Amino acid sequence: MTALRSFLQGPTSFRRRLLIFATTAFFIVACVNFVNLSLAPQPQGLDFHTSRATTPSDPDKQTVLILTLVRDRESWGRGRSFHDFLSLVRGFDYPMSNIRIGVLASDEKEFDAITKYVQQLPATDLYPRTHVILRKKDANITRGERKGDNVQRDRRRLLARLRNFLLYSTLRDEDSVLWIDSDMVKIPSDLLLRMIDSGKDIITTATKFGPTGGFYDLNAWVGERITPSAEEQKVIEQGGLFVPRPKAVKYTHELQQEFGPLDSVGGTVLFVRGEIHREGVAFTTNYVIGTGWKHEGYDGIESEGLCYVAGFLGYKCWGMPRAIAEHSDN
């Protein structure tokens, strides 16, 4: 206390010099600590992102992820290849800069062929991102067998698994997803922009076999379906076969409005807003209608289950009967 009293009562100039010295020393120490902190090793692998879940109001500025599955070379249709699929996509009246491409192949030879084709493309023909995936999974069902009632459960379960794998492997921050079957040969050029501009959640088109064939994709419908009898339900619970089928339905091409409501969609040409997929609406890998804890249901697998799940989240499915796409007729 005596020393402190002497300091306070001492000459003013001495106290001022001492105060300046102490302040300077404190400043130097603080600067050294700041430099040491800045130069210290930073944590490795730190990845920090922020995002706002908003969609551009201008349809032309929205990004679209276009996805397709291909089993092997035959999946494109006779005499066709990935080249033809890209030509179909380029036919859209939509900026290439806003489109990303994702392809999943189940055959290694076709995976290699697609990869080599993309690698030799000139820069002007490249999309901002093209993701090609090899996923070797097969239900061992031939093309000739694939329409049989007895294989539909296994076939569509596999399709759902592959679609979901492709979706979750490629979807980033795109505003929308457009699924196109690999063997589609013609789609209206303005379709993508019309789908985006509609503001609707999930949309599919009417699809025909070639230019003169009948309508295809009977998985897109609105109405009632057959429910199993008590005996059929027992068969289902024991793992047996039940074939879902219509009771009183209308298909996309039978709707009257430009956009008509649907209870189910198919996957030939299917538009889904990106946020809906991101919220968990995907392709169901089992029959979800009537399912129990230990047994499968009787309806609503793959694309047909997508609308069922979406409906519980407040989203709706729509068909465009006047926008007719063409499927390969071979």
Side-chain angles (χ1 to χ4, degrees):
M1 291 296 294
T2 303
L4 178 61
R5 190 179 297 110
S6 299
F7 171 74
L8 294 174
Q9 294 175 351
T12 302
S13 60
F14 172 74
R15 292 201 306 272
R16 185 181 296 113
R17 287 196 299 271
L18 188 59
L19 183 60
I20 292 172
F21 174 78
T23 302
T24 303
F26 175 81
F27 179 75
I28 292 173
V29 170
C31 288
V32 170
N33 287 336
F34 175 78
V35 171
N36 287 338
L37 180 63
S38 300
L39 297 178
Q42 298 299 307
Q44 297 299 309
L46 182 63
D47 195 1
F48 176 69
H49 295 273
T50 63
S51 62
R52 296 177 183 271
T54 57
T55 300
S57 56
D58 186 347
D60 282 339
K61 294 182 179 179
Q62 295 188 25
T63 53
V64 181
L65 175 63
I66 296 181
L67 299 177
T68 194
L69 301 177
V70 56
R71 181 182 182 183
D72 52 30
R73 182 62 179 261
E74 292 184 2
S75 300
W76 302 111
R78 188 177 304 145
R80 291 167 47 84
S81 67
F82 181 60
H83 166 82
D84 298 282
F85 181 80
L86 280 188
S87 297
L88 186 71
V89 173
R90 291 192 188 105
F92 285 128
D93 297 331
Y94 205 75
M96 278 186 64
S97 58
N98 289 11
I99 292 177
R100 288 87 173 104
I101 304 289
V103 185
L104 185 147
S106 299
D107 173 70
E108 191 160 0
K109 287 180 63 177
E110 187 57 25
F111 169 79
D112 291 340
I114 297 169
T115 302
K116 290 177 182 177
Y117 180 81
V118 173
Q119 289 173 338
Q120 59 83 37
L121 285 173
T124 53
D125 289 345
L126 289 173
Y127 290 93
R129 177 164 53 88
T130 300
H131 195 157
V132 184
I133 298 171
L134 174 64
R135 180 70 169 169
K136 291 184 177 181
K137 280 197 175 293
D138 200 326
N140 296 315
I141 300 169
T142 67
R143 292 185 70 82
E145 299 170 334
R146 65 179 184 156
K147 295 301 180 183
D149 289 339
N150 61 318
V151 301
Q152 289 310 300
R153 180 171 58 189
D154 291 341
R155 173 179 171 269
R156 298 194 68 190
R157 192 191 314 279
L158 177 63
L159 283 174
R161 294 174 66 181
L162 294 177
R163 285 187 189 276
N164 292 337
F165 191 94
L166 175 59
L167 174 67
Y168 296 140
S169 299
T170 56
L171 181 61
R172 295 184 183 175
D173 58 354
E174 288 81 13
D175 299 302
S176 306
V177 178
L178 183 66
W179 294 90
I180 302 177
D181 269 4
S182 57
D183 46 1
M184 296 301 296
V185 297
K186 186 176 180 181
I187 300 176
S189 60
D190 64 345
L191 180 66
L192 179 55
L193 187 56
R194 287 171 62 192
M195 286 176 155
I196 294 172
D197 200 32
S198 73
K200 297 191 181 300
D201 304 321
I202 300 170
I203 314 170
T204 192
T205 62
T207 302
K208 295 181 71 173
F209 266 122
T212 59
F215 282 97
Y216 181 72
D217 198 3
L218 303 184
N219 296 326
W221 50 265
V222 59
E224 292 183 72
R225 300 265 281 184
I226 296 292
T227 57
S229 65
E231 287 300 316
E232 289 172 324
Q233 184 62 37
K234 289 181 181 179
V235 172
I236 292 171
E237 293 177 9
Q238 293 169 2
L241 178 66
F242 175 81
V243 181
R245 53 197 185 278
K247 181 179 180 181
V249 304
K250 283 187 176 181
Y251 298 105
T252 302
H253 65 276
E254 296 174 320
L255 302 176
Q256 299 301 315
Q257 312 96 313
E258 181 182 4
F259 291 91
L262 291 174
D263 292 322
S264 171
V265 292
T268 54
V269 182
L270 176 63
F271 173 90
V272 184
R273 285 200 286 118
E275 66 182 283
I276 298 173
H277 270 324
R278 272 188 282 272
E279 288 182 10
V281 176
F283 298 90
T284 53
T285 54
N286 63 289
Y287 287 116
V288 292
I289 312 298
T291 191
W293 282 109
K294 295 185 178 180
H295 66 81
E296 192 152 11
Y298 59 85
D299 208 343
I301 196 170
E302 199 226 344
S303 62
E304 290 177 304
L306 184 139
C307 286
Y308 176 79
V309 175
F312 288 102
L313 303 185
Y315 298 119
K316 295 182 179 180
C317 293
W318 302 87
M320 298 178 68
R322 300 171 193 166
I324 300 176
E326 292 180 17
H327 188 282
S328 170
D329 57 5
N330 54 31

